[in-house]
Amino acid sequence: MIFSRTYRYQSNMRPDDIKGRLVGKHVKVHNMDFEVFENDRVIRIIPHAEQDNEIKTLPITHVEFNGKGDKTQIVINSKMRKIDSGGPLLIVVFCFFLFVAAAVTLISGAEYMNYTYTFAGIGLVIFLIFWLRMERGYFDYVRKIRDYIKKQSVA
């Protein structure tokens, strides 16, 4: 999915030491509380959005550790909560159909060029506004959680 992000990097710390620094803690990002817990050898970072009345698109993050000698490879997977994925996916599909309509009117001939520019322009404006809001919201949460994990895994 286009809203999933995966980051890989290496740390000099052992996996148990990193887990000890992360598990049981709470992370605050934009006044939103994220809980860090371990489940099936994977660390999960999930939001506590029950107390929040605003509509937000929030990530669920999984952190895996692969020990390689004296180094640890850390794999961070962030994906959108299923409850939040409907709206953004609907906007992306709508913009896609606007671009398809623009392509069809472009192929249809010169007398439909006004429609081509209109469909393409509306699709582009909607998608740009949507993507900028996602960068300030959802992807900012993902970046700050990733930075928190990186900071905790530095020896």
Side-chain angles (χ1 to χ4, degrees):
M1 199 161 121
I2 63 172
F3 303 115
S4 298
R5 295 290 182 259
T6 300
Y7 301 100
R8 289 180 172 82
Y9 66 95
Q10 295 216 353
S11 175
N12 293 329
M13 293 179 68
R14 293 188 351 228
D16 295 333
D17 295 336
I18 299 170
K19 286 180 185 179
R21 287 184 171 192
L22 292 173
V23 174
K25 305 286 194 282
H26 287 262
V27 181
K28 283 274 200 195
V29 178
H30 297 299
N31 294 324
M32 178 64 62
D33 185 41
F34 288 83
E35 182 181 357
V36 182
F37 65 94
E38 185 175 11
N39 188 7
D40 297 331
R41 297 182 313 177
V42 174
I43 292 181
R44 299 177 194 269
I45 303 173
I46 61 168
H48 283 273
E50 301 88 26
Q51 74 276 10
D52 199 16
N53 294 331
E54 295 180 33
I55 298 174
K56 293 183 179 178
T57 305
L58 299 170
I60 294 176
T61 305
H62 297 176
V63 183
E64 298 176 18
F65 302 102
N66 300 323
K68 293 185 176 183
D70 59 343
K71 295 191 183 249
T72 302
Q73 182 182 22
I74 301 171
V75 180
I76 303 170
N77 294 313
S78 294
K79 64 180 181 177
M80 194 177 292
R81 297 186 308 170
K82 288 183 181 180
I83 195 168
D84 294 336
S85 64
L89 197 55
L90 188 63
I91 292 172
V92 169
V93 168
F94 179 70
C95 290
F96 174 75
F97 281 127
L98 283 173
F99 292 134
V100 168
V104 167
T105 57
L106 180 66
I107 293 170
S108 296
E111 65 267 9
Y112 298 112
M113 285 307 269
N114 288 337
Y115 296 115
T116 301
Y117 296 138
T118 302
F119 288 143
I122 290 171
L124 187 62
V125 167
I126 290 172
F127 189 77
L128 284 176
I129 291 171
F130 163 73
W131 198 258
L132 290 174
R133 292 205 51 183
M134 288 295 285
E135 283 291 329
R136 285 191 337 222
Y138 171 76
F139 290 119
D140 194 38
Y141 284 111
V142 171
R143 279 189 299 270
K144 292 196 177 177
I145 290 170
R146 179 196 64 205
D147 292 343
Y148 173 76
I149 294 168
K150 277 182 146 181
K151 188 170 73 171
Q152 294 301 317
S153 63
V154 173

